[in-house]
Amino acid sequence: MDSPATARIVPHLSPSKPPPLKAVADRNVRYVVLGDFLFKAWYPSYYPEELVGKEVDKLYVCQWCFKYTKDIIPFLGHVVRVLQPQHESLTDIAGFLQESCSAMCKPPGTLIYTRAEHAIYEFDGEADQLFAQNLSLFAKLFLDNKSVFFDVVGFKYYLLIQKPRSTAKSSAPQKHEIVGFFSKEKMSWDNNNLACILVFPPWQRQGLGKILMGASYELSKREGRLGGPEKPLSELGKRSYMKFWQVTVARAILGTKAKTISSVDEIARQCWSLPEDVLAALKSMNIVENRKRPDGGLTVSKARLRDWVVANKVDLTPSIFVDGFIDEAIPHINQLKD
């Protein structure tokens, strides 16, 4: 049975973003096996040496609970259970393989958003400490400037789920995929609506980061406070957020009836974003008119903004949809509404 089981989970190289050059020399994990994917780690993580050693060529990580091992046999024992065939003539071993991880059927926490092929689950780091720690250790392999991995009690986590797709080629039930997440502090004095964000390498460059960013701002809106990500941002984070802020600001301005907008605070309130983030987006788009107002405010031309949208081929479709949120599943938000 070992050979067919091994064949089923043979990983393949994912089309992920190449790792930063400065990260390669310091890695303590060279490759990661996550479900059916094999891809390079970018940065070192704090995996215990007594479990994985100082350096490991391949680290096997469960795609549902993020438990890890450096040996393939324990990994297979965790994710695959071989069932006896009902008929001796049955030759397709895949017909009686079944995943055995306890988290395979449902992610931890509560479903708070669902629309089309994606869903978001919220879970408390205090209630699911082991899951949060394992998720954080895995995430550190692709993050350079985050270091909180075992102090998970003060954070909430939001898992981005790609729903299973039905296929006529297999009668076996398909499982969900966790493709990314973000975390945020339960209590942030700086109004941070996000502490850490990551789309896992096999699913990058598909616009999924915008869904996570959009969810963080929608949650801020429902909590009645302007917010933004924890700073300083990485270089990749700066570029990603700038694109998000630009689209959000453009959508808000073009959605108003006025021909010009003069108040950064007004735009910030519409976007539920911090004024400094809105101002940075406006300047990067080069749509602020040179003439000064008597009150010192800025003047943003909607005509120049429309030209910017066309020139940059910007899609103004929202990354997150309000009707996808399940209000009754988010108790802390409902309490604030009341």
Side-chain angles (χ1 to χ4, degrees):
M1 298 295 182
D2 291 343
S3 178
T6 304
R8 179 182 182 273
I9 59 111
V10 167
H12 54 276
L13 289 172
S14 66
S16 62
K17 179 180 181 294
L21 294 177
K22 67 176 183 178
V24 175
D26 299 329
R27 291 175 299 166
N28 57 343
V29 176
R30 189 179 180 193
Y31 289 96
V32 175
V33 175
L34 182 72
D36 291 335
F37 291 97
L38 169 68
F39 47 97
K40 287 183 178 180
W42 298 358
Y43 298 99
S45 187
Y46 305 113
Y47 285 106
E49 285 189 15
E50 61 270 22
L51 296 180
V52 302
K54 290 185 177 181
E55 294 183 6
V56 60
D57 184 57
K58 290 181 184 176
L59 186 69
Y60 298 90
V61 180
C62 175
Q63 66 267 44
W64 297 302
C65 71
F66 297 93
K67 290 181 180 178
Y68 54 89
T69 177
K70 63 179 180 178
D71 300 310
I72 190 171
I73 298 303
F75 173 69
L76 293 177
H78 175 76
V79 300
V80 176
R81 178 159 47 99
V82 179
L83 305 181
Q84 293 299 319
Q86 295 180 353
H87 304 286
E88 293 184 1
S89 61
L90 198 63
T91 58
D92 182 8
I93 187 71
F96 51 92
L97 285 177
Q98 180 175 338
E99 291 83 357
S100 59
C101 172
S102 60
M104 68 174 181
C105 295
K106 176 184 176 299
T110 304
L111 176 67
I112 66 167
Y113 178 87
T114 178
R115 185 180 172 95
E117 67 269 25
H118 296 109
I120 296 176
Y121 277 76
E122 176 195 74
F123 75 91
D124 191 322
E126 183 174 9
D128 293 283
Q129 291 189 42
L130 181 59
F131 187 99
Q133 289 174 358
N134 287 336
L135 174 65
S136 299
L137 285 170
F138 175 75
K140 180 61 183 73
L141 293 171
F142 311 100
L143 297 170
D144 184 24
N145 61 342
K146 299 296 179 181
S147 59
V148 179
F149 297 98
F150 287 93
D151 182 20
V152 297
V153 173
F155 292 84
K156 285 187 176 290
Y157 295 80
Y158 298 84
L159 300 173
L160 180 59
I161 307 299
Q162 188 161 282
K163 300 176 186 177
R165 299 176 181 177
S166 59
T167 171
K169 296 182 180 180
S170 175
S171 59
Q174 302 298 304
K175 302 297 186 297
H176 67 271
E177 293 179 311
I178 302 175
V179 298
F181 79 102
F182 75 89
S183 64
K184 72 172 184 177
E185 295 175 286
K186 296 177 184 177
M187 179 65 69
S188 173
W189 299 109
D190 297 320
N191 279 340
N192 294 330
N193 62 16
L194 185 147
C196 176
I197 182 172
L198 176 67
V199 174
F200 303 151
W203 294 277
Q204 290 180 0
R205 297 185 178 184
Q206 299 180 30
L208 300 181
K210 295 186 296 184
I211 298 178
L212 292 171
M213 294 178 194
S216 70
Y217 279 97
E218 179 61 26
L219 292 174
S220 290
K221 176 181 177 181
R222 290 165 176 245
E223 293 169 356
R225 60 187 179 89
L226 303 183
E230 180 182 296
K231 295 169 183 172
L233 294 168
S234 66
E235 289 304 314
L236 178 60
K238 289 178 183 177
R239 292 194 298 270
S240 299
Y241 262 98
M242 185 56 67
K243 291 180 181 179
F244 178 84
W245 290 329
Q246 288 173 340
V247 174
T248 303
V249 167
R251 188 167 53 246
I253 294 176
L254 293 177
T256 62
K257 295 181 179 180
K259 292 184 178 180
T260 60
I261 305 294
S262 60
S263 171
V264 172
D265 290 338
E266 178 184 345
I267 303 172
R269 287 192 295 270
Q270 292 183 46
C271 300
W272 291 91
S273 302
L274 298 176
E276 56 264 35
D277 296 336
V278 170
L279 183 59
L282 291 172
K283 290 182 176 180
S284 69
M285 298 158 74
N286 195 28
I287 59 173
V288 178
E289 295 186 352
N290 293 328
R291 58 190 176 94
K292 295 184 178 180
R293 293 173 52 86
D295 58 4
L298 301 177
T299 301
V300 178
S301 168
K302 293 178 75 171
R304 290 176 63 177
L305 175 55
R306 292 190 187 95
D307 291 340
W308 178 87
V309 170
V310 173
N312 291 276
K313 300 179 181 179
V314 175
D315 182 4
L316 295 178
T317 305
S319 59
I320 203 87
F321 294 88
V322 176
D323 60 2
F325 282 90
I326 305 171
D327 291 342
E328 58 270 22
I330 317 175
H332 65 281
I333 291 178
N334 287 339
Q335 289 171 7
L336 284 170
K337 281 186 174 182
D338 296 340

